[in-house]
């Protein structure tokens, strides 16, 4: 039986190893495939090469942060159609404003809700249309 994720390829960008592992474990359990980056720069290069169905982007990253990385992805014709969902624990207005202006498909609040996470991810995959 094939799981909810049906082999969709999800890129998880997260610099916290525990958060990264939790997201990976939940998604793989539900039959998503996953690839990972811990730095914004790596994420941009890997996205161009692998063209994932969806990118989950931690906003707080060292160096090129999640907002800047997403802006780069959105200005590159090869990656502009990949939906990018922000992962953030921040409720600060300034962060929310930066997120809403930067081309994200949506936001998932951290810590993730392990009972709902795979459903949230799948719905962002589907709402982005067939790729
Ligand atoms: Mn972080």
């Amino acid at each position: 039986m094939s799981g909810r994720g049906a082999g969709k390829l999800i890129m998880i960008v997260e610099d916290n190893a525990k958060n990264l592992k939790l997201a990976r474990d939940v998604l793989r359990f539900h039959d998503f495939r996953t690839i990972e980056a811990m730095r914004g720069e790596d994420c941009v290069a890997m996205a161009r090469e692998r063209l994932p169905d969806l990118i989950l982007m931690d906003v707080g990253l060292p160096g090129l942060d999640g907002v800047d990385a997403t802006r780069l992805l959105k200005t590159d014709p090869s990656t502009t159609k990949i939906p990018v969902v922000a992962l953030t624990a921040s409720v600060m207005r300034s962060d929310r404003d930066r997120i809403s202006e930067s081309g994200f498909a949506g936001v998932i609040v951290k810590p993730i809700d392990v009972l709902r996470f795979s459903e949230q991810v799948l719905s962002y995959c589907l709402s982005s249309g067939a790729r």
Side-chain angles (χ1 to χ4, degrees), residues 97-118:
D97 287 348
R98 282 183 79 218
I99 289 168
S100 68
E101 290 161 4
S102 303
F104 287 96
V107 176
I108 293 177
V109 176
K110 292 196 290 187
I112 62 169
D113 177 344
V114 295
L115 297 180
R116 294 188 54 226
F117 186 58
S118 67

Side-chain angles (χ1 to χ4, degrees), residues 10 23-32 34 56 117 121:
I10 310 299
R24 174 208 304 139
D25 288 350
V26 172
L27 292 177
R28 291 199 172 176
F29 178 80
H30 289 285
D31 202 24
F32 291 87
T34 60
L56 296 170
F117 186 58
V121 170

Side-chain angles (χ1 to χ4, degrees), residues 14-16 58-62 110:
E14 169 63 77
D15 64 319
N16 177 292
D58 179 25
V59 172
L61 297 169
K110 292 196 290 187

Side-chain angles (χ1 to χ4, degrees), residues 44 48 68-81 102:
V44 172
R48 286 180 183 136
D68 293 332
T70 299
R71 287 197 179 121
L72 277 180
L73 292 166
K74 291 295 153 185
T75 56
D76 183 332
S78 69
T79 54
T80 190
K81 287 185 178 162
S102 303

